[in-house]
Amino acid sequence: MDVFACAGCGAELTAPASRVALPVHTYYGAWEELHPPLMEPATYAVEPWPTGPPWRSWGEVGEERAAEQGVFLPQSVSFGARGRIVIAPGDSRRMVFVPEKCAGYCMGIDGRDGPNLACEHCGRAVATRMDDCGLWQTVWLEPDAVRRRPSGSPAVPVPDWDELDLESYAVAPVELDGSWSRRWEAAVPVALAHLVVACEGRPVALPGPLAELLGDAVAGYLPAGPPVLTARLAGPGTPAHRPGGDVLLVPRHPITGESWRPPNGTAPVVPLDIAVWARLVLPGETSPLPASGTLPEGVLRDDYPLPLHPRGGFLPHGRAFQDTLARLPGIRRPELRAYYDRYTRT
């Protein structure tokens, strides 16, 4: 496990934490809502791409310079720091707010003014707390202001695929209040962006569980026309060599961030947040949508609690889809740019 210390005076600024994959929903919350912490206690993740200000337009920097920053479609390009580290706010230590840097929209701090947390010991600006509406609660450590060092606590072993407890990672698509899971709303369009690129812009049919649950809601994100390719769910515990499936929707490892790969497989794989993937492949009811028909006369349901039903239609996070497309180099292929141009006109 690691701790992060002030680069100026050496004071420890975090509790011991283990590195995990950056969550796919990091930047995608629901507007006008307060969110829980993004990271689990005693974990941290690293954002490899530039984030935050200064921002420059695509037209100003040009296609090649934007590609160096990891952006492959016309949109704003960040020239902020690479390698920012995110932790749960509860894992921060010996940091104090910089009052004049704590502006926000309405319910908290949104980080618009840059680092707003300083080392309590020496006053060096070291991190940015963010917790405004629509944002997951986070503390982002500035890579040039902190130093990582071993904590002395034993490292947490990284489980192999067959050692993962899938049930512990599965997240229900519907919350207790009837709203759709914010994690699903972000994870599904992220996977769809990868799917579009993997299929090279050709129409594709979603696998049964996902199509039954969200088919109508996500149809507009996929290339139009009769499907010429099919996708299926694959991963640990599923038949790796089952016939059919031009593209495999596979889980993303929660610690390493790597996509599961079939042994000796050649089909392209599309990463899906393990929280969604596990829910779709585990046995039992996965769809919160009411089934048609009625029970036979005299038969009563005795399951409790009753299955959760959504109070409205599924609405994928549109920015999650577009931002992910913009980060995939394959989108520059002519057939995919043609798809993107059609998508943005609809």
mmCIF file of all heavy atoms in Angstrom, residues 156-176:
data_model
loop_
_atom_site.group_PDB
_atom_site.id
_atom_site.type_symbol
_atom_site.label_atom_id
_atom_site.label_comp_id
_atom_site.label_asym_id
_atom_site.label_seq_id
_atom_site.Cartn_x
_atom_site.Cartn_y
_atom_site.Cartn_z
ATOM 1 N N VAL A 156 -2.144 -5.308 -0.973
ATOM 2 C CA VAL A 156 -3.332 -6.124 -1.167
ATOM 3 C C VAL A 156 -3.143 -6.945 -2.443
ATOM 4 O O VAL A 156 -2.902 -6.374 -3.514
ATOM 5 C CB VAL A 156 -4.592 -5.246 -1.289
ATOM 6 C CG1 VAL A 156 -5.815 -6.103 -1.551
ATOM 7 C CG2 VAL A 156 -4.779 -4.416 -0.021
ATOM 8 N N PRO A 157 -3.209 -8.283 -2.380
ATOM 9 C CA PRO A 157 -2.990 -9.094 -3.580
ATOM 10 C C PRO A 157 -4.017 -8.781 -4.670
ATOM 11 O O PRO A 157 -5.196 -8.527 -4.376
ATOM 12 C CB PRO A 157 -3.146 -10.531 -3.074
ATOM 13 C CG PRO A 157 -2.988 -10.457 -1.591
ATOM 14 C CD PRO A 157 -3.485 -9.103 -1.195
ATOM 15 N N VAL A 158 -3.563 -8.780 -5.902
ATOM 16 C CA VAL A 158 -4.477 -8.578 -7.035
ATOM 17 C C VAL A 158 -5.076 -9.929 -7.401
ATOM 18 O O VAL A 158 -4.352 -10.852 -7.777
ATOM 19 C CB VAL A 158 -3.718 -7.989 -8.239
ATOM 20 C CG1 VAL A 158 -4.659 -7.852 -9.438
ATOM 21 C CG2 VAL A 158 -3.112 -6.638 -7.875
ATOM 22 N N PRO A 159 -6.395 -10.075 -7.297
ATOM 23 C CA PRO A 159 -7.004 -11.379 -7.580
ATOM 24 C C PRO A 159 -6.990 -11.698 -9.061
ATOM 25 O O PRO A 159 -7.130 -10.813 -9.912
ATOM 26 C CB PRO A 159 -8.441 -11.212 -7.069
ATOM 27 C CG PRO A 159 -8.698 -9.734 -7.154
ATOM 28 C CD PRO A 159 -7.387 -9.068 -6.878
ATOM 29 N N ASP A 160 -6.785 -12.971 -9.375
ATOM 30 C CA ASP A 160 -6.958 -13.429 -10.748
ATOM 31 C C ASP A 160 -8.435 -13.408 -11.095
ATOM 32 O O ASP A 160 -9.313 -13.289 -10.226
ATOM 33 C CB ASP A 160 -6.415 -14.856 -10.908
ATOM 34 C CG ASP A 160 -4.902 -14.899 -10.781
ATOM 35 O OD1 ASP A 160 -4.254 -13.894 -11.117
ATOM 36 O OD2 ASP A 160 -4.391 -15.947 -10.323
ATOM 37 N N TRP A 161 -8.725 -13.562 -12.381
ATOM 38 C CA TRP A 161 -10.119 -13.516 -12.809
ATOM 39 C C TRP A 161 -10.973 -14.556 -12.092
ATOM 40 O O TRP A 161 -12.088 -14.259 -11.665
ATOM 41 C CB TRP A 161 -10.206 -13.733 -14.325
ATOM 42 C CG TRP A 161 -9.821 -12.521 -15.116
ATOM 43 C CD1 TRP A 161 -8.677 -12.342 -15.846
ATOM 44 C CD2 TRP A 161 -10.565 -11.305 -15.249
ATOM 45 N NE1 TRP A 161 -8.672 -11.099 -16.436
ATOM 46 C CE2 TRP A 161 -9.815 -10.443 -16.096
ATOM 47 C CE3 TRP A 161 -11.781 -10.866 -14.755
ATOM 48 C CZ2 TRP A 161 -10.255 -9.172 -16.442
ATOM 49 C CZ3 TRP A 161 -12.227 -9.591 -15.092
ATOM 50 C CH2 TRP A 161 -11.464 -8.762 -15.935
ATOM 51 N N ASP A 162 -10.439 -15.770 -11.931
ATOM 52 C CA ASP A 162 -11.241 -16.813 -11.305
ATOM 53 C C ASP A 162 -11.317 -16.671 -9.787
ATOM 54 O O ASP A 162 -12.004 -17.440 -9.123
ATOM 55 C CB ASP A 162 -10.715 -18.199 -11.678
ATOM 56 C CG ASP A 162 -9.243 -18.388 -11.308
ATOM 57 O OD1 ASP A 162 -8.642 -17.449 -10.742
ATOM 58 O OD2 ASP A 162 -8.698 -19.478 -11.582
ATOM 59 N N GLU A 163 -10.625 -15.685 -9.223
ATOM 60 C CA GLU A 163 -10.683 -15.432 -7.793
ATOM 61 C C GLU A 163 -11.631 -14.297 -7.430
ATOM 62 O O GLU A 163 -11.887 -14.048 -6.249
ATOM 63 C CB GLU A 163 -9.287 -15.102 -7.263
ATOM 64 C CG GLU A 163 -8.282 -16.238 -7.399
ATOM 65 C CD GLU A 163 -6.885 -15.827 -7.004
ATOM 66 O OE1 GLU A 163 -6.523 -14.644 -7.217
ATOM 67 O OE2 GLU A 163 -6.155 -16.682 -6.477
ATOM 68 N N LEU A 164 -12.163 -13.598 -8.433
ATOM 69 C CA LEU A 164 -13.069 -12.481 -8.163
ATOM 70 C C LEU A 164 -14.418 -12.987 -7.671
ATOM 71 O O LEU A 164 -14.980 -13.937 -8.226
ATOM 72 C CB LEU A 164 -13.266 -11.641 -9.426
ATOM 73 C CG LEU A 164 -12.052 -10.849 -9.940
ATOM 74 C CD1 LEU A 164 -12.403 -10.177 -11.260
ATOM 75 C CD2 LEU A 164 -11.630 -9.794 -8.918
ATOM 76 N N ASP A 165 -14.945 -12.341 -6.649
ATOM 77 C CA ASP A 165 -16.297 -12.631 -6.162
ATOM 78 C C ASP A 165 -17.256 -11.739 -6.951
ATOM 79 O O ASP A 165 -17.484 -10.578 -6.600
ATOM 80 C CB ASP A 165 -16.387 -12.335 -4.670
ATOM 81 C CG ASP A 165 -17.783 -12.575 -4.106
ATOM 82 O OD1 ASP A 165 -18.646 -13.091 -4.853
ATOM 83 O OD2 ASP A 165 -18.011 -12.229 -2.929
ATOM 84 N N LEU A 166 -17.803 -12.276 -8.035
ATOM 85 C CA LEU A 166 -18.616 -11.461 -8.933
ATOM 86 C C LEU A 166 -19.831 -10.860 -8.238
ATOM 87 O O LEU A 166 -20.236 -9.733 -8.539
ATOM 88 C CB LEU A 166 -19.048 -12.299 -10.139
ATOM 89 C CG LEU A 166 -17.921 -12.785 -11.058
ATOM 90 C CD1 LEU A 166 -18.491 -13.581 -12.220
ATOM 91 C CD2 LEU A 166 -17.090 -11.614 -11.564
ATOM 92 N N GLU A 167 -20.422 -11.609 -7.317
ATOM 93 C CA GLU A 167 -21.606 -11.087 -6.634
ATOM 94 C C GLU A 167 -21.294 -9.815 -5.860
ATOM 95 O O GLU A 167 -22.141 -8.933 -5.746
ATOM 96 C CB GLU A 167 -22.194 -12.148 -5.706
ATOM 97 C CG GLU A 167 -22.860 -13.312 -6.426
ATOM 98 C CD GLU A 167 -23.640 -14.195 -5.479
ATOM 99 O OE1 GLU A 167 -23.882 -13.769 -4.333
ATOM 100 O OE2 GLU A 167 -24.015 -15.309 -5.888
ATOM 101 N N SER A 168 -20.091 -9.720 -5.326
ATOM 102 C CA SER A 168 -19.737 -8.531 -4.550
ATOM 103 C C SER A 168 -19.541 -7.309 -5.442
ATOM 104 O O SER A 168 -19.608 -6.168 -4.958
ATOM 105 C CB SER A 168 -18.464 -8.792 -3.743
ATOM 106 O OG SER A 168 -17.322 -8.903 -4.589
ATOM 107 N N TYR A 169 -19.290 -7.517 -6.733
ATOM 108 C CA TYR A 169 -19.088 -6.399 -7.650
ATOM 109 C C TYR A 169 -20.363 -5.998 -8.387
ATOM 110 O O TYR A 169 -20.467 -4.873 -8.884
ATOM 111 C CB TYR A 169 -18.012 -6.746 -8.682
ATOM 112 C CG TYR A 169 -16.615 -6.786 -8.109
ATOM 113 C CD1 TYR A 169 -15.962 -7.997 -7.892
ATOM 114 C CD2 TYR A 169 -15.942 -5.609 -7.772
ATOM 115 C CE1 TYR A 169 -14.684 -8.042 -7.362
ATOM 116 C CE2 TYR A 169 -14.662 -5.640 -7.245
ATOM 117 C CZ TYR A 169 -14.039 -6.861 -7.032
ATOM 118 O OH TYR A 169 -12.775 -6.890 -6.496
ATOM 119 N N ALA A 170 -21.334 -6.894 -8.485
ATOM 120 C CA ALA A 170 -22.546 -6.610 -9.262
ATOM 121 C C ALA A 170 -23.330 -5.457 -8.639
ATOM 122 O O ALA A 170 -23.497 -5.381 -7.416
ATOM 123 C CB ALA A 170 -23.408 -7.856 -9.341
ATOM 124 N N VAL A 171 -23.796 -4.558 -9.481
ATOM 125 C CA VAL A 171 -24.610 -3.416 -9.053
ATOM 126 C C VAL A 171 -25.957 -3.491 -9.756
ATOM 127 O O VAL A 171 -26.018 -3.639 -10.986
ATOM 128 C CB VAL A 171 -23.909 -2.082 -9.381
ATOM 129 C CG1 VAL A 171 -24.842 -0.898 -9.160
ATOM 130 C CG2 VAL A 171 -22.646 -1.920 -8.539
ATOM 131 N N ALA A 172 -27.030 -3.388 -8.994
ATOM 132 C CA ALA A 172 -28.381 -3.446 -9.567
ATOM 133 C C ALA A 172 -28.611 -2.264 -10.495
ATOM 134 O O ALA A 172 -28.107 -1.156 -10.245
ATOM 135 C CB ALA A 172 -29.421 -3.457 -8.458
ATOM 136 N N PRO A 173 -29.363 -2.442 -11.574
ATOM 137 C CA PRO A 173 -29.595 -1.330 -12.505
ATOM 138 C C PRO A 173 -30.538 -0.268 -11.961
ATOM 139 O O PRO A 173 -30.561 0.846 -12.487
ATOM 140 C CB PRO A 173 -30.206 -2.025 -13.730
ATOM 141 C CG PRO A 173 -30.778 -3.288 -13.209
ATOM 142 C CD PRO A 173 -29.923 -3.717 -12.065
ATOM 143 N N VAL A 174 -31.313 -0.600 -10.937
ATOM 144 C CA VAL A 174 -32.301 0.339 -10.399
ATOM 145 C C VAL A 174 -32.024 0.573 -8.919
ATOM 146 O O VAL A 174 -31.773 -0.375 -8.163
ATOM 147 C CB VAL A 174 -33.736 -0.193 -10.598
ATOM 148 C CG1 VAL A 174 -34.757 0.779 -10.017
ATOM 149 C CG2 VAL A 174 -34.009 -0.412 -12.079
ATOM 150 N N GLU A 175 -32.062 1.855 -8.517
ATOM 151 C CA GLU A 175 -31.862 2.204 -7.117
ATOM 152 C C GLU A 175 -33.140 1.966 -6.316
ATOM 153 O O GLU A 175 -34.221 1.731 -6.870
ATOM 154 C CB GLU A 175 -31.447 3.684 -7.002
ATOM 155 C CG GLU A 175 -30.212 4.050 -7.793
ATOM 156 C CD GLU A 175 -28.927 3.547 -7.147
ATOM 157 O OE1 GLU A 175 -29.020 2.909 -6.081
ATOM 158 O OE2 GLU A 175 -27.850 3.774 -7.726
ATOM 159 N N LEU A 176 -33.034 2.074 -4.993
ATOM 160 C CA LEU A 176 -34.183 1.826 -4.131
ATOM 161 C C LEU A 176 -35.316 2.811 -4.371
ATOM 162 O O LEU A 176 -36.482 2.499 -4.122
ATOM 163 C CB LEU A 176 -33.738 1.880 -2.663
ATOM 164 C CG LEU A 176 -32.791 0.757 -2.203
ATOM 165 C CD1 LEU A 176 -32.366 0.996 -0.761
ATOM 166 C CD2 LEU A 176 -33.457 -0.604 -2.350
#
